[in-house]
Amino acid sequence: MNQPISSLDLTDNIIGRLQKNGFHYCHDFKENCENIPQKIHVSNWPSLTEAPSSKTALELLREEIHWQPITTFVPELDSLLKHEISPNMITELSGFPGTGKTQICFHLSVGVNEGETFFISTNKNFASHRLREIAQKCVSDMESALKRIYCVEATDPVELLASVKFLESWLPSHNHVRLLIIDSISWPLKQKPHTERASLIHTIFQNLRILASKYKFA
C-alpha cells in the first residue's frame, strides 16, 4: 500500500510544493529524490517514514519507574507539573513577560536528578548568577549542579536551527541529558512572517520529538 505524502508530519506548505512537483506518495520521493527542487528541503526524510520500534508494556513500565521526576523545589508547582515534564514529551510554558517562565526553567535545570540539562538561551536572559543562587539554596552541592547544565546562545533563527542540529552529534557522547530547555522558542522568530515562523517551529519541534524519543529526555 502506498503511503501518501499528505500523511507525513510535514507542513502544508512543503506537502503542497511536493505535490505540485509530482510527489504524491512516499515511494515517489524515494525513487526520484534527486529530482526534488533544492528549495524544498526535507532533511529528516528517513525518520518520517521509518516504522517506530516496538516495546513491551513491561519495558515501558520499567522506563517509567526508572524516570525520576524533575523538581522545581516548589511543592505546589511540582504537583502541577508532576505528569507534564516527562521523557519523550515537549512541554510549553506560556505566559506574559515577567511571569516567571525563565525562573521555572532555571529551577528545573537545577532540579534534574542524576542527569544533565541542555539549555538553549535565545533572548540573552541566561543568568548564571541566578542559577548559582538557586543551586546554593536548593541543593547540597552547588558546583556539581552547575557543572551538569550546558548552555548555548542562539539569538536568531539560523543559530537556533543550528543548535538543534548540533544536538544530533553531541547527544551520543552525552547520554545523561534528561532535560532540554529552549528559552524562548518565539523570541528569535518574532520578526519572521507568520507562515515562515510556523514552518520553522514545525521543523524544530519535529527534530526535538525525534531526539527526545531517542535519548529519553524531557
Side-chain angles (χ1 to χ4, degrees):
M1 182 177 179
N2 292 328
Q3 181 181 359
I5 291 288
S6 58
S7 68
L8 300 179
D9 190 10
L10 295 170
T11 64
D12 292 340
N13 178 268
I14 291 179
I15 289 173
R17 293 166 70 185
L18 285 170
Q19 290 174 336
K20 285 182 180 179
N21 283 272
F23 297 91
H24 299 280
Y25 297 95
C26 291
H27 74 84
D28 296 334
F29 195 107
K30 292 178 180 178
E31 294 175 359
N32 302 288
C33 59
E34 68 278 1
N35 296 323
I36 296 176
Q38 292 183 354
K39 291 182 179 180
I40 305 178
H41 185 57
V42 185
S43 60
N44 56 338
W45 174 258
S47 63
L48 292 173
T49 56
E50 287 179 356
S53 58
S54 63
K55 292 184 179 181
T56 67
L58 180 59
E59 288 174 322
L60 294 173
L61 178 61
R62 285 173 175 169
E63 287 182 4
E64 185 176 333
I65 293 173
H66 179 71
W67 173 260
Q68 297 295 320
I70 298 174
T71 179
T72 64
F73 305 102
V74 181
E76 295 81 3
L77 190 55
D78 285 340
S79 179
L80 289 173
L81 297 176
K82 183 176 181 181
H83 300 293
E84 300 299 329
I85 311 296
S86 302
N88 308 339
M89 292 180 60
I90 296 176
T91 304
E92 180 182 10
L93 299 179
S94 61
F96 291 108
T99 53
K101 300 184 296 298
T102 296
Q103 298 305 309
I104 292 175
C105 291
F106 285 165
H107 276 78
L108 288 169
S109 298
V110 175
V112 172
N113 295 317
E114 300 178 2
E116 300 170 335
T117 298
F118 192 89
F119 199 116
I120 301 177
S121 175
T122 67
N123 52 15
K124 298 185 178 180
N125 274 352
F126 189 85
S128 56
H129 67 277
R130 179 58 181 144
L131 273 175
R132 181 188 61 192
E133 292 172 357
I134 294 171
Q136 286 175 331
K137 180 179 179 181
C138 299
V139 299
S140 58
D141 189 342
M142 178 270 293
E143 186 172 324
S144 177
L146 296 184
K147 283 182 178 179
R148 295 196 301 269
I149 302 172
Y150 298 88
C151 178
V152 298
E153 286 195 352
T155 57
D156 61 50
V158 174
E159 291 180 346
L160 179 55
L161 287 168
S163 297
V164 174
K165 188 70 176 177
F166 165 74
L167 288 169
E168 295 179 10
S169 59
W170 186 81
L171 283 170
S173 59
H174 295 79
N175 56 6
H176 295 296
V177 171
R178 296 185 59 232
L179 178 66
L180 185 144
I181 293 173
I182 300 179
D183 182 29
S184 70
I185 196 168
S186 61
W187 181 265
L189 307 178
K190 63 180 182 178
Q191 301 299 330
K192 293 291 184 179
H194 175 73
T195 53
E196 186 176 352
R197 184 166 65 247
S199 178
L200 287 168
I201 290 176
H202 174 89
T203 299
I204 292 169
F205 276 18
Q206 172 67 16
N207 289 336
L208 290 179
R209 279 195 293 267
I210 294 169
L211 292 172
S213 177
K214 183 175 182 178
Y215 294 102
K216 309 302 179 188
F217 60 74

